[in-house]
């Protein structure tokens, strides 16, 4: 019989060979290859980790999940990292945790107001509506594309209980102002850090300021596990609530394959169940099943080793786009990092000025026709999305800038897979367009 | 209840003050230990392979304050596993600890008229609280602890520290060889049914004492026990 360890070693070596043959040395051909806005960047380590996890065939959360979560915790210097199956699930779970009756009077209840923005991704807002709370949309500023902190202050009412906003495209919002308001009024803060993993604000990583924060590992993000996400907190009570909501709402915290680690499995009272009802099947929250698999986590564990390098490349790529667009100051409004921030840019965001002589769509159609991918700032103005029309939300004062973003703004990628020759090609295509409109 | 994590750890010291009872100190080889007073850990003697199931393990209460760098546990030899601990746990030995578990003091409870009843090494989860700053929040706490003899009371240092943290703290020791067994009727007579009782010790003692207190009219949620199946 063949030794399984020897076979495993052989498989891993072949996987490395496969990586070299299949994925290494990708060549960019101007006009034929795409300049994507995002993409997965990996080497043989992600592939071999994924194969290792497949050969373990543990499948659910296992050794790689622990390793991945530990790496994130160490990187961010936080206590609790809970892995989940997407950034959107992370947002849902972070918000769900705050609705738990275990939080007593502090819990979020239907009818409470939550401050957010409409110029963003719906997954930041949908949990608010799903739990019957009222999103209060505050406008953003046109330099950082983050919440306007003066308008945020004015949006506050006695019903306000939480602030749930994203660091837009890697650019931290004014965390000092948000946390000050939250502390003054005893508000929960959820940082949607899905687009900003590795960004810093005044020397500290984003995602470490709020009561809870979230990360996305979708391939467009700073690191990837395919689908995947994480919830971050330093609060053990919130961590346990997130875990419960993630794992069917169950009270028991035994990991997969474990039983009775608390030693009280059959000797407790819960709800109206008979005394001693099996704790493994006691549900204290209305939960979900949103766990990550060990194969995903294995990829994430390898990606974590590249996060700093990826972040540096994103910053370099941001500068490359900036130098291309700054030649046309009357035409394009370019982004600005929030004061005190060191963004790990998710993207390079651009707004076409009103007097540019062409529309956002004319410009982005030109770029996309030449295989340079662009994206709008996600939902544009969320209040105008079909799913949100007629729903119970409130606009704080006005969303004038959000409307400008909906009509005139787009972004280009900064992902680490971009190469100098891609920027050279894109610069030519942009110059070509600008010459054509004169 | 916090999120359970695995900690690679090393045995720092082993003290065998009396026959069959050992106090072991561990230091973390990775991140600092995180737990709350009154919680317990799982200790495995076999090497932990992350790709495999968690090996056979036993539960032990941390008797140190969560503010301490080291974790201290005390165990008495009672079966094969603890016999194996006696031969295996030597200074320098590397093992894996899984923790924290339990909610003895993290669950809602009244901090006035707190009565702590301990049998033997059952005192250890209480020591974790007594030596932690949060113990100052308890109003006139009293400890009733029973030991087989005075030699088995190895905890004078911790109790002295507890007194520094909470000047209102009192204790009464009962030594079986001189005073007979800890008598729950006596405890109840002294404290009354409106107290909050924490009980830790041998399973039979916990069960008997708890039943007695409930039958005597103490409210169910005022009897908190540190018992494992």
């Amino acid at each position: 019989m063949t030794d399984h360890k020897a076979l495993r070693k052989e498989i891993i070596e072949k996987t490395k060979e496969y990586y070299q043959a299949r994925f290494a040395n990708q060549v960019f051909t101007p006009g034929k290859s795409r300049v994507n806005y995002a993409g997965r960047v990996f080497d043989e380590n992600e592939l071999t980790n994924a194969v290792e996890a497949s050969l373990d065939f543990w499948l659910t959360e296992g050794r790689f999940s622990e390793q991945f979560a530990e790496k994130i915790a160490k990187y961010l210097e936080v206590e609790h990292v809970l892995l989940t199956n997407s950034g959107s699930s992370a947002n849902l779970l972070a918000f769900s945790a705050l609705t738990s009756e275990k939080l007593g009077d502090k819990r979020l209840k239907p009818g409470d107001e939550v401050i957010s923005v409409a110029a963003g991704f719906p997954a930041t807002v949908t949990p608010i509506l799903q739990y019957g709370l009222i999103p209060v949309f505050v406008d953003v500023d046109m330099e950082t594309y983050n919440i306007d902190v003066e308008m945020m202050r004015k949006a506050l009412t006695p019903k306000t209980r939480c602030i749930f906003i994203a660091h837009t495209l890697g650019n931290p919002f004014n965390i000092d102002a948000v946390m000050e308001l939250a502390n003054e009024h005893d508000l929960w803060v959820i940082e949607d850090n899905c687009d900003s993993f590795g960004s810093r604000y005044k020397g500290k990583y984003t995602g470490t300021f709020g009561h809870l924060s979230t990360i996305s590992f979708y391939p467009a993000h700073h690191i990837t596990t395919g689908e995947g996400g994480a919830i971050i907190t330093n609060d053990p009570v919130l961590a346990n609530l997130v875990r419960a909501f993630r794992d069917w709402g169950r009270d028991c915290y035994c990991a997969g394959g474990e039983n009775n680690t608390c030693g009280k499995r059959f000797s407790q009272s819960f709800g109206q169940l008979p005394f001693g009802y099996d704790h493994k099947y006691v549900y204290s929250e209305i939960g979900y099943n949103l766990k990550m698999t060990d194969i995903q986590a294995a990829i994430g564990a390898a990606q974590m080793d590249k996060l700093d390098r990826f972040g540096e490349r994103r910053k370099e790529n941001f500068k490359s786009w900036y130098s291309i667009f700054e030649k046309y100051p009357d035409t394009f409004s370019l982004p600005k990092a929030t004061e005190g921030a060191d963004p790990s840019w998710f993207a390079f965001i651009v707004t076409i000025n009103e007097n540019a002589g062409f529309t956002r769509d004319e410009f982005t159609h030109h770029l996309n026709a030449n295989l340079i991918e662009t994206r709008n700032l996600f939902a544009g103005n969320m209040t105008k999305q079909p799913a949100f029309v007629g729903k119970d939300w409130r606009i704080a004062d006005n969303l004038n800038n959000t409307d400008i973003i909906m009509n005139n703004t787009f972004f280009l990628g900064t992902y680490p897979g971009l190469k100098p020759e891609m920027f050279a090609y894109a610069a030519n295509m942009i110059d070509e367009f600008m010459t054509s409109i004169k | 209840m916090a999120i359970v994590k695995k900690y690679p750890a090393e045995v720092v010291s082993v003290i065998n003050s009396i026959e069959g009872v050992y106090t072991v100190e561990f230091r973390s080889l990775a991140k600092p230990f995180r737990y709350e007073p009154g919680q317990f850990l799982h200790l495995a003697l076999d090497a932990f392979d992350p790709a495999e199931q968690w090996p056979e393990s036993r539960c032990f209460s941390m008797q140190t304050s969560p503010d301490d760098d080291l974790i201290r546990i005390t165990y008495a030899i009672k079966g094969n596993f603890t016999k194996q601990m006696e031969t295996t746990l030597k200074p320098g030995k590397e093992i894996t600890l899984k923790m924290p578990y339990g909610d003895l003091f993290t669950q809602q409870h009244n901090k006035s008229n707190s009565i702590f009843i301990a049998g033997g090494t059952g005192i250890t989860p209480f020591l974790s609280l007594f030596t932690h700053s949060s113990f100052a929040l308890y109003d006139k706490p009293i400890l009733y602890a029973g030991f087989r003899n005075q030699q088995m009371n190895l905890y004078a240092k911790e109790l002295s520290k507890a007194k520094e943290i909470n000047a209102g703290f009192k204790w009464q020791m009962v030594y079986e060889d001189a005073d007979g067994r800890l008598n729950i009727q006596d405890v109840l007579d002294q404290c009354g049914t409106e107290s909050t009782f924490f009980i830790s010790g041998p399973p039979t003692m916990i069960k008997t004492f708890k039943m007695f207190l409930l039958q005597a009219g103490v409210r169910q949620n005022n009897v908190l026990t540190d018992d494992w199946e």
Side-chain angles (χ1 to χ4, degrees):
Chain A
M1 194 179 209
T2 315
D3 174 19
H4 69 87
K5 286 183 181 169
L7 265 178
R8 188 173 186 125
K9 199 174 168 191
E10 191 182 339
I11 291 166
I12 296 302
E13 288 309 314
K14 285 288 175 195
T15 304
K16 290 177 185 171
E17 272 181 47
Y18 178 79
Y19 170 80
Q20 290 300 329
R22 172 68 181 82
F23 296 112
N25 306 316
Q26 304 266 348
V27 178
F28 175 73
T29 310
K32 288 192 174 172
S33 307
R34 300 185 69 84
V35 180
N36 291 323
Y37 93 92
R40 68 234 194 290
V41 178
F42 60 101
D43 60 24
E44 62 186 32
N45 293 322
E46 280 79 359
L47 233 52
T48 53
N49 263 19
V51 171
E52 289 271 15
S54 302
L55 296 174
D56 285 353
F57 213 61
W58 187 272
L59 303 179
T60 57
E61 279 204 321
R63 64 169 171 139
F64 284 110
S65 304
E66 283 191 21
Q67 197 183 108
F68 185 30
E70 281 298 325
K71 282 185 178 185
I72 298 169
K74 195 172 174 189
Y75 186 86
L76 294 177
E77 295 181 359
V78 294
E79 284 295 321
H80 304 290
V81 174
L82 292 116
L83 302 176
T84 184
N85 62 358
S86 76
S88 300
S89 294
N91 280 354
L92 176 63
L93 290 170
F95 196 80
S96 302
L98 299 181
T99 68
S100 171
E101 289 187 7
K102 288 180 179 162
L103 296 175
D105 292 341
K106 283 276 286 172
R107 81 183 180 105
L108 298 179
K109 295 183 284 295
D112 289 345
E113 291 188 348
V114 180
I115 289 176
S116 195
V117 299
F121 197 73
T124 321
V125 177
T126 45
I128 306 170
L129 288 166
Q130 283 160 340
Y131 277 90
L133 285 87
I134 299 165
V136 176
F137 294 115
V138 177
D139 210 3
V140 297
D141 75 66
M142 290 301 297
E143 287 186 330
T144 70
Y145 295 86
N146 278 306
I147 195 164
D148 181 315
V149 293
E150 289 309 313
M151 292 178 82
M152 174 182 70
R153 286 196 163 274
K154 290 176 189 163
L156 208 75
T157 74
K159 285 185 169 180
T160 311
R161 301 291 312 284
C162 179
I163 301 171
F164 189 178
I165 46 177
H167 300 292
T168 305
L169 301 181
N171 195 10
F173 52 74
N174 184 336
I175 295 175
D176 280 351
V178 168
M179 295 311 296
E180 189 184 314
L181 186 74
N183 292 334
E184 266 174 42
H185 298 275
D186 198 20
L187 310 177
W188 293 107
V189 174
I190 305 174
E191 285 176 77
D192 180 337
N193 199 37
C194 286
D195 297 342
S196 306
F197 191 20
S199 292
R200 289 173 187 258
Y201 180 78
K202 297 191 174 173
K204 201 176 160 202
Y205 286 114
T206 55
T208 62
F209 293 87
H211 298 93
L212 292 147
S213 76
T214 59
I215 310 176
S216 173
F217 306 124
Y218 193 69
H221 292 77
H222 288 66
I223 60 168
T224 188
T225 59
E227 304 290 347
I231 302 98
I232 312 299
T233 184
N234 282 319
D235 184 326
V237 174
L238 295 180
N240 201 37
L241 288 171
V242 169
R243 181 207 49 73
F245 275 97
R246 185 194 62 179
D247 303 357
W248 307 282
R250 72 176 182 157
D251 208 69
C252 170
Y253 47 77
C254 285
E258 290 184 342
N259 287 310
N260 203 14
T261 55
C262 66
K264 293 184 175 183
R265 184 175 171 185
F266 300 104
S267 53
Q268 300 179 81
S269 291
F270 296 98
Q272 297 176 2
L273 292 166
F275 176 79
Y277 193 82
D278 188 350
H279 187 222
K280 202 172 181 71
Y281 295 98
V282 171
Y283 303 92
S284 52
E285 306 291 350
I286 305 296
Y288 311 92
N289 178 6
L290 301 174
K291 294 191 289 296
M292 180 183 270
T293 67
D294 218 39
I295 298 171
Q296 290 172 291
I299 297 165
Q303 286 267 289
M304 268 308 289
D305 299 336
K306 301 180 173 69
L307 179 58
D308 276 337
R309 182 156 54 86
F310 285 174
E312 289 310 311
R313 289 290 304 277
R314 285 179 175 277
K315 289 173 194 174
E316 288 163 16
N317 293 340
F318 180 91
K319 284 181 192 162
S320 296
W321 285 125
Y322 203 96
S323 65
I324 292 170
F325 280 94
E326 70 178 346
K327 288 189 284 183
Y328 309 104
D330 297 334
T331 308
F332 302 111
S333 289
L334 303 186
K336 192 177 160 190
T338 299
E339 197 181 333
D342 176 18
S344 180
W345 296 99
F346 176 87
F348 185 80
I349 189 165
V350 179
T351 296
I352 312 278
N353 292 339
E354 285 293 342
N355 58 358
F358 57 90
T359 66
R360 184 262 317 267
D361 290 349
E362 285 167 343
F363 186 69
T364 55
H365 287 166
H366 169 77
L367 293 181
N368 283 287
N370 287 288
L371 305 181
I372 300 164
E373 237 182 6
T374 66
R375 290 285 187 273
N376 290 349
L377 182 54
F378 307 126
N381 180 340
M382 207 137 6
T383 66
K384 297 183 192 290
Q385 290 282 345
F388 289 78
V389 170
K391 294 291 190 300
D392 202 4
W393 41 256
R394 183 168 72 79
I395 291 173
D397 197 7
N398 70 72
L399 296 180
N400 293 343
N401 286 342
T402 302
D403 281 333
I404 293 172
I405 288 166
M406 177 177 63
N407 294 314
N408 296 359
T409 300
F410 70 97
F411 67 73
L412 292 146
T414 55
Y415 85 108
L418 294 176
K419 297 171 180 172
E421 53 268 36
M422 294 176 179
F423 284 105
Y425 168 71
N428 284 340
M429 291 301 107
I430 290 164
D431 289 343
E432 183 184 287
F433 180 88
M434 294 305 289
T435 306
S436 74
I437 58 155
K438 278 182 183 168
Chain B
M1 183 56 225
I3 299 293
V4 173
K5 292 174 183 170
K6 297 184 184 84
Y7 294 81
E10 181 188 44
V11 175
V12 176
S13 70
V14 180
I15 301 167
N16 178 207
S17 304
I18 44 175
E19 194 186 344
V21 179
Y22 290 83
T23 298
V24 187
E25 281 186 319
F26 301 97
R27 74 177 177 94
S28 174
L29 294 174
K31 55 194 179 283
F33 296 122
R34 289 274 185 270
Y35 60 96
E36 297 294 327
Q39 293 192 304
F40 64 91
L41 54 79
H42 274 255
L43 182 151
L45 294 171
D46 295 338
F48 168 56
D49 178 351
E52 299 296 332
Q53 297 269 15
W54 176 250
E56 184 188 9
S57 63
R58 291 290 183 278
C59 303
F60 298 93
S61 291
M62 278 77 85
Q63 72 184 66
T64 28
S65 160
D67 294 337
D68 295 349
D69 293 335
L70 302 180
I71 277 182
R72 195 179 313 125
I73 64 165
T74 295
Y75 71 93
I77 296 175
K78 285 175 181 167
N80 288 338
F81 193 89
T82 43
K83 271 184 197 155
Q84 209 186 328
M85 284 172 73
E86 183 182 36
T87 53
T88 310
L89 294 182
K90 305 288 180 197
K93 166 79 177 170
E94 291 186 13
I95 58 161
T96 307
L97 302 175
K98 197 165 61 153
M99 53 181 276
Y101 292 93
D103 56 2
L104 185 61
F105 300 121
T106 54
Q107 60 191 307
Q108 286 278 345
H109 63 274
N110 191 350
K111 292 189 174 65
S112 54
N113 300 323
S114 301
I115 310 301
F116 300 88
I117 305 170
T121 56
I123 193 173
T124 52
F126 297 162
L127 297 175
S128 171
L129 173 71
F130 295 165
T131 54
H132 186 248
S133 55
S134 62
F135 188 49
L137 302 173
Y138 288 76
D139 183 37
K140 295 174 189 163
I142 305 174
L143 165 71
Y144 293 89
F147 298 99
R148 264 186 275 154
N149 53 54
Q150 198 156 1
Q151 272 185 308
M152 304 290 266
N153 180 1
L154 308 166
Y155 312 105
K157 201 169 129 192
E158 283 98 336
L159 294 176
S160 170
K161 188 179 173 190
K163 187 79 178 167
E164 284 171 25
I165 293 170
N166 191 325
F169 179 44
K170 291 178 182 166
W171 60 82
Q172 195 172 313
M173 301 299 174
V174 176
Y175 300 111
E176 204 176 318
D177 60 350
D179 316 312
R181 287 194 170 185
L182 193 59
N183 187 318
I184 189 65
Q185 179 71 64
D186 291 347
V187 174
L188 187 65
D189 290 346
Q190 289 174 44
C191 307
T193 55
E194 291 307 304
S195 303
T196 302
F197 296 88
F198 297 90
I199 313 173
S200 175
T204 314
M205 183 200 96
I206 293 176
K207 196 177 170 188
T208 314
F209 282 17
K210 183 176 181 177
M211 199 179 295
F212 178 88
L213 291 171
L214 295 178
Q215 284 171 356
V218 179
R219 285 193 297 277
Q220 175 113 26
N221 55 5
N222 280 354
V223 182
L224 304 169
T225 58
D226 189 49
D227 50 347
W228 309 319
E229 288 155 4

